[in-house]
Amino acid sequence: MVPSIRARLTLWLTVLIMLCTGALALYLYVAAAAILTGDVDRRVEAQARQVAVTYDFGAPDTTVAGAAHRAEIGTVDQFATASVFLEAFDLGGHVLARSSNLRGLHVPGEERAAALARLAPRLATAQVADGDLRVYSLPAIQAGRPVGLVLAAASLHDVTAATRTLLALLLGGSLMTGLLAAVGSGVLVRRGLRPVDQIAGLAESITARRLDQRLALRDPPREVERLLETFNGMLTRLHETFAAQRRFVADASHELRTPLATIRGRSEVLLLKTDLDDDTRDGLKMMRDEAGRMGRLVANLLLLARGDEEQAIDRRPVELDLLMLEVTRQGRSLAQDTAVTLSHADQAVVLGDPDLLKQLVLNLVENALAYTPPGGRVDLTLTVAGDWARLSVRDTGPGIAPEDLQRIFERFYRPDRARSRRSGGAGLGLAIVRWIAEAHGGEVVVESVVGKGSTFTLILPVISNQTLTKP
Ligand code: ADP
């Protein structure tokens, strides 16, 4: 699965912030370690220099040479501090003096001999049991000639402890920053992408029937404004194309109506003649029927074109129970060998166009009759519950396969032409039913069991009702 832009941006931002924080932490760690070590270095250098300059290398107390306590120790202790160890050597590498904090030991580190041979100052790090030491070896030059060597050392223990604490703090801080960055960038990215969500929401609300709508956001960012303009431009073009198509269908249907009526009328008149041979009569009947079928198709197309244009429908009170009685009567006259009944009718008044509503119910009844085999039954009911009227047409026909149930309301969708007993259908009847229902603020639902029959139910908002059952 491709991750969303929101997830990707949040991840990138978090990684970027973590990298920056990591780099900053590393820089702080290295700088702090260098500063602290530099401090130690300066201390050992200063102490060593003082000994090198001040200590009298020329007068070693040979009488106590090699003894644990030498007279010079006191002198070197003046330069030493608690944390700096000092040791002075003559040019032969013999200890002349050492600070007492060394407790008789040597300053660890490089070979004295090497330092003496080099006779150049040098800073180095030596490792001892309890940590690192910074050791500074400085040749003592007095009156222009080398007289001895001074070693000064200081423990890096405090520096190591301080840098370790700093490292722990920096790691903890970086982790917290990472967490905050993830949450913060998630929130920011969500806010930044909100206009895109809003556009998607607005675009979803635009259907083929509402192409005259335009998307608008208050103070959109520049990029989103461009997206809006592009989208609105596309809507305008779509709207124009759809409108042209609708006009074409409406005009074509309108133009076809008159010639079709003429053909039908002329064939009716010709059929009245008595001296027609059988072939001519059959041909004329076929012309009349086909012209009639085309006429109905054209009328349906015109009706749907009207629906597409969203022209306001007439709205006046319609007594649904009376309408049901009328349609039942009409259905009976159409039915040849199917029983048409009205088993229950509450009183209900809806606001709407009586002709359209009648056409709706009639379409359902005609379908029921067309698909129900001889001996079957078509039953109508009208019930009112709360503010809604439920008007059902139930038949004992072949039923509709589940995969077709949602599609039968589409224009020109006819799953199985062979089942129809009526030849005139073109697959527009239910599209018209749905349009009329929706134009009246209602809907049509269908339930069907294959082999048993189908029930189409129209649900409409009522303006008044009285529950009054008619047997
Ligand atoms: P038409 O009846 O002209 O084919 P409709 O839009 O009225 O077009 O119906 C579409 C399709 O729905 C029909 O072709 C038929 O397959 C199915 N249908 C409609 N009503 C019924 C019904 N009462 N019983 C079974 N199938 C039906």
Side-chain angles (χ1 to χ4, degrees), residues 302-369:
L302 254 177
L303 202 59
L304 280 174
R306 184 186 147 191
D308 288 343
E309 274 169 24
E310 300 236 304
Q311 287 177 12
I313 55 163
D314 252 5
R315 283 194 181 266
R316 51 195 149 102
V318 180
E319 291 180 61
L320 277 188
D321 44 326
L322 294 185
L323 184 139
M324 290 290 269
L325 274 173
E326 243 176 87
V327 175
T328 311
R329 216 172 293 134
Q330 218 163 320
R332 278 185 193 135
S333 69
L334 291 173
Q336 288 152 1
D337 33 28
T338 308
V340 181
T341 53
L342 173 63
S343 61
H344 182 100
D346 291 341
Q347 270 192 345
V349 181
V350 298
L351 259 194
D353 182 325
D355 294 336
L356 288 180
L357 286 173
K358 189 171 168 196
Q359 166 140 27
L360 187 163
V361 188
L362 203 58
N363 276 6
L364 293 178
V365 172
E366 277 177 1
N367 271 353
L369 289 173

Side-chain angles (χ1 to χ4, degrees), residues 4-17 177-195 197:
S4 65
I5 293 186
R6 183 175 299 157
R8 265 191 263 180
L9 276 180
T10 307
L11 187 73
W12 288 345
L13 273 175
T14 310
V15 169
L16 187 70
I17 295 174
T177 316
L179 218 70
L180 283 177
V183 175
S185 38
V187 172
L188 285 182
V189 169
R190 183 184 297 265
R191 285 187 66 173
L193 289 179
R194 196 176 291 154
D197 277 347

Side-chain angles (χ1 to χ4, degrees), residues 363-364 367-368 371-372 395 397-400 408 410 413-416 419-420 422 424-431 454 456:
N363 276 6
L364 293 178
N367 271 353
Y371 296 101
T372 304
D395 66 51
I400 301 161
I408 51 172
E410 291 171 17
Y413 185 77
R414 306 193 70 207
D416 184 359
R419 282 185 324 189
S420 173
R422 182 183 69 196
L428 289 178
L430 289 179
S454 319
F456 286 81

Side-chain angles (χ1 to χ4, degrees), residues 32 59 70 84-85 131 139 143 148 156 227 280 297 306 313 317 329 349 381 427 432 439 448 468:
R70 297 177 61 121
V84 177
F85 310 99
L156 283 176
L227 187 67
T280 316
L297 175 65
R306 184 186 147 191
I313 55 163
R329 216 172 293 134
V349 181
T381 54
I432 290 174
S448 190
L468 207 150

